[in-house]
Amino acid sequence: MKKSNIQPVRSHASGSRRHFLQAAAGAGAISLLDAIVPVWARSMSVLREQSGPGDDLLEFDLAIRAHRMDIAGGKGNVMSINNTIPGPLLEWYEGQDVVLNVRNEMDVDTSIHWHGILLPFEMDGVPGVTFRGIKPGTTFQYRFPLKQSGTYWYHSHSQLQEQSGVYGALVVHPKGPDPVVYDRDYVVMLSDWTFEDPHDVLAKLKKMGDYYNYQQVTVADILDEPTSEARSNAIRTKLAWDRMRMMPSDIADVGGTTYSYLMNGLHPAGNWTGLFKPGERVRLRFINGSAMSFFNVRIPGLEMRVVATDGQNVQPVMTDEFQIGTAETYDVVVEPREDRAYTVMAESIDRSGFAAGTLAPRDGMRAPIPPLRKPPKLTMVDMGMDHGAMQGGGMDHSGMNHGDMGSGGMDHSGMDHSGMNHGDMSSDGMDHSGMNHGDMGSGDMDHAGHDMGNAGPVVARHGPDHHGAGNAGVADLQRDRLGERGTGLENVPHRVLVYRDLKRLDDDFDDRPPGREIELHLTGHMERYMWSFDGEQFHEVDGPIEFNYGERLRLTLVNDTMMNHPIHLHGMWMEMENGHGREIPRKHTINVMPASRVSALITADAPGRWAFHCHLLYHMEMGMFRVVRVS
């Protein structure tokens, strides 16, 4: 195993190195440090310098600074950890105690949250919830035992600092034999970088939710349609989405118009490279450390064996591509057998850009980078609507008028969903559960935006509560979408990992049935850029969500919006109910697809106050955040 990298400082490591880091951080020395540190920070080779847990404390010194540095082909104003983006790769060992001395060298408060790590809540690093934050010029010491192993990451939980570079990867090695067999081990950390001030980005989104959406349907797009009939249908479809105050291209709030997508801190031109010898098994620990981006990951020419998600081992499953939501992690093993380069491709979910690197037998090699695929569009399934019930030959959805539903002659151009009361629709005798998709292909129906071929079954309908003014719409039909491919991957001609594929490896299921259920709705208003749970932004709620210490409960999440939301619970696992009984996987972050209903079992075994939120940074900042209290 390659061991040329420099490890983070530990108490039992070289004292001179620790001293050097502190001294070099002074004025005029950052440029020198930049020239040295990226060598190990960017290789992301996992070293595992210990064979097992030792007796010494694992101690690390981390300094958070604001400065200018070279990044993504330019020079930007960054906030970094030990002068690198991402921060240093931390390697810990299950069974040992870890001590982290985090010094704030900025003029604003900061923090570090250890994402996915089970620890005392006072060490969780969320200002205002678990501690007061780290004041300028001070050092906060985190100290906790390591009770787990796997791939995780860490990041600031203060304001928008994560977007500016305050994040890094961490690996906890198991105290026992690792069930995953491999010869090489790399972290692949994905992120999004903007040269804009993140506060300016948020301000623009608040003024115009689609400010960064450059994939809107234009007059030119309509004129490009091949026939007059197609152009007419395109116009009617455009008007229908406009009336709903939505766009089928609302896939990502922020995309490649301002973002540069990075792999281990490097722009694709920088070509992060993981070396291998043909025939070796290479473990790749993918971490989505972005602020706002989902990625579709594939390595053309190599199949991937998925062995872990969110730090937890799963029964191996083969795939050719997977979608990774913000804050999720996936470990895969690949076995390149040819003496050639392979591109590690991470395409943004809206296809506006990509991060990329290379697996190669030698430095300096590259493989072709696949072209970006066609941007995906949202469908009526994502809206929680199901037009399949409207059976009958010759139906044209683009001309449908819902006011006349049931009497034929539907005219979609007159439909205004913004004022539509879905709760009353059932009283009109409209039963979406009986919709027959098989009959939709007849006649001159306009299928634009209506692709339901990948849709999971309807499992519930929305009730009468539409969650107030802070919510623009509800998912009238709630689907189980755990078996669906991620947005935009519905029709790719190869295997795609879905949540339904995941089964835990360990036999450690808590057999107690849940004593109660808590249901929360993910809500928002894109035009006003308000995001919330149950229509209430964080500043509007009266108190925490209460968990009883020791209880087993079910948490059900319903996404009433048209966007994917990666929901993260601190301090405890969410055991995602994906139909596999005692083998359901544990997750710290679950992506809840639009108009879907997801449930998870939770053992409330961690007393204290814990953050619970959407991990899209600007959604969290705008109110999709709650506190869970276990007592």
Side-chain angles (χ1 to χ4, degrees), residues 2 5 37-47 84-91 154 167-171 184-190 263-266 272-274 283-285 287:
K2 178 181 178 183
N5 292 347
V37 175
V39 174
W40 58 267
R42 292 176 179 175
S43 76
M44 288 298 181
S45 178
V46 180
L47 300 176
T84 69
I85 295 177
L89 168 57
L90 304 180
E91 289 187 58
Y154 60 99
Y167 58 85
L170 68 89
V171 173
R184 301 219 185 203
D185 192 356
Y186 295 105
V187 164
V188 183
M189 190 161 206
L190 307 172
M263 183 172 290
N264 289 337
L266 293 177
W272 172 82
T273 300
R283 182 174 189 163
L284 301 172
R285 303 173 186 261
I287 301 170

Side-chain angles (χ1 to χ4, degrees), residues 361-623:
R362 292 173 295 280
D363 276 323
M365 299 179 70
R366 297 204 72 152
I369 294 178
L372 289 174
R373 296 170 292 193
K374 184 179 179 180
K377 301 293 184 186
L378 296 173
T379 71
M380 291 301 177
V381 171
D382 297 309
M383 295 176 62
M385 299 188 66
D386 197 334
H387 287 211
M390 306 164 206
Q391 299 178 29
M395 184 190 301
D396 183 353
H397 280 253
S398 64
M400 185 191 306
N401 183 343
H402 280 225
D404 294 329
M405 285 172 70
S407 59
M410 297 176 180
D411 178 8
H412 210 289
S413 63
M415 181 171 69
D416 184 356
H417 282 253
S418 63
M420 193 173 184
N421 186 342
H422 292 258
D424 292 341
M425 290 174 70
S426 59
S427 63
D428 293 334
M430 179 178 169
D431 181 8
H432 286 261
S433 63
M435 297 176 178
N436 184 349
H437 295 267
D439 292 339
M440 293 183 64
S442 59
D444 56 354
M445 183 188 301
D446 175 15
H447 281 266
H450 292 233
D451 181 7
M452 300 179 188
N454 188 41
V458 175
V459 293
R461 296 180 62 87
H462 202 283
D465 183 0
H466 284 204
H467 314 299
N471 189 43
V474 299
D476 185 50
L477 298 185
Q478 299 159 18
R479 294 178 181 273
D480 173 0
R481 306 189 71 177
L482 297 179
E484 293 187 33
R485 297 176 171 196
T487 301
L489 299 178
E490 297 87 351
N491 300 312
V492 297
H494 52 242
R495 293 168 295 184
V496 176
L497 184 77
V498 299
Y499 272 164
R500 189 86 70 209
D501 294 331
L502 300 174
K503 299 179 183 179
R504 75 169 65 186
L505 186 63
D506 295 332
D507 182 18
D508 56 358
F509 181 72
D510 184 343
D511 285 304
R512 292 179 298 161
R516 64 187 178 113
E517 178 175 359
I518 296 174
E519 181 171 316
L520 289 173
H521 287 238
L522 285 51
T523 50
H525 196 300
M526 186 67 180
E527 279 195 341
R528 299 163 68 182
Y529 211 69
M530 299 166 61
W531 301 101
S532 56
F533 287 106
D534 289 345
E536 292 184 311
Q537 293 175 282
F538 180 55
H539 67 86
E540 298 174 305
V541 300
D542 295 330
I545 300 168
E546 299 285 355
F547 287 4
N548 301 316
Y549 178 66
E551 74 170 331
R552 184 77 160 161
L553 60 90
R554 172 175 288 122
L555 176 66
T556 295
L557 302 172
V558 177
N559 188 351
D560 280 328
T561 79
M562 291 184 61
M563 301 197 71
N564 290 276
H565 294 283
I567 302 300
H568 174 43
L569 173 63
H570 293 220
M572 291 160 281
W573 295 116
M574 296 183 287
E575 299 172 52
M576 185 171 61
E577 293 190 287
N578 65 349
H580 292 304
R582 301 183 79 257
E583 296 180 330
I584 59 176
R586 289 186 293 216
K587 299 275 291 176
H588 53 56
T589 306
I590 295 177
N591 176 45
V592 187
M593 293 182 73
S596 71
R597 184 181 183 90
V598 178
S599 63
L601 300 177
I602 297 171
T603 297
D605 56 359
R609 293 164 54 88
W610 302 99
F612 175 73
H613 58 90
C614 176
H615 221 286
L616 295 176
L617 182 62
Y618 299 121
H619 289 193
M620 180 181 69
E621 186 71 9
M622 295 310 298

Side-chain angles (χ1 to χ4, degrees), residues 290-312:
S290 72
M292 289 292 288
S293 303
F294 281 45
F295 295 95
N296 296 322
V297 177
R298 66 191 195 276
I299 308 174
L302 291 179
E303 60 179 1
M304 297 179 283
R305 184 168 71 251
V306 179
V307 296
T309 180
D310 291 2
Q312 299 298 289

Side-chain angles (χ1 to χ4, degrees), residues 85-212:
I85 295 177
L89 168 57
L90 304 180
E91 289 187 58
W92 300 346
Y93 295 83
E94 183 182 9
Q96 286 188 255
D97 286 357
V98 64
V99 173
L100 300 119
N101 305 303
V102 180
R103 180 167 179 77
N104 182 1
E105 298 188 1
M106 305 189 297
D107 58 5
V108 295
D109 288 9
T110 190
S111 58
I112 292 291
H113 161 61
W114 315 100
H115 188 106
I117 299 297
L118 306 178
L119 38 60
F121 82 96
E122 299 92 337
M123 298 288 107
D124 196 43
V126 182
V129 178
T130 67
F131 79 144
R132 295 182 178 179
I134 307 173
K135 300 297 180 185
T138 66
T139 297
F140 184 85
Q141 185 177 84
Y142 296 83
R143 180 171 184 155
F144 46 87
L146 297 170
K147 302 186 292 185
Q148 64 202 99
S149 61
T151 303
Y152 304 94
W153 64 299
Y154 60 99
H155 59 84
S156 171
H157 227 292
S158 297
Q159 300 185 355
L160 305 177
Q161 294 173 10
E162 183 186 327
Q163 177 77 88
S164 295
V166 187
Y167 58 85
L170 68 89
V171 173
V172 186
H173 295 291
K175 60 182 177 183
D178 194 331
V180 182
V181 178
Y182 52 91
D183 303 299
R184 301 219 185 203
D185 192 356
Y186 295 105
V187 164
V188 183
M189 190 161 206
L190 307 172
S191 60
D192 46 27
W193 165 259
T194 174
F195 287 97
E196 294 187 79
D197 185 318
H199 295 90
D200 292 340
V201 173
L202 181 57
K204 290 172 181 173
L205 290 171
K206 290 168 68 175
K207 290 177 182 176
M208 186 185 299
D210 59 353
Y211 182 90
Y212 292 100

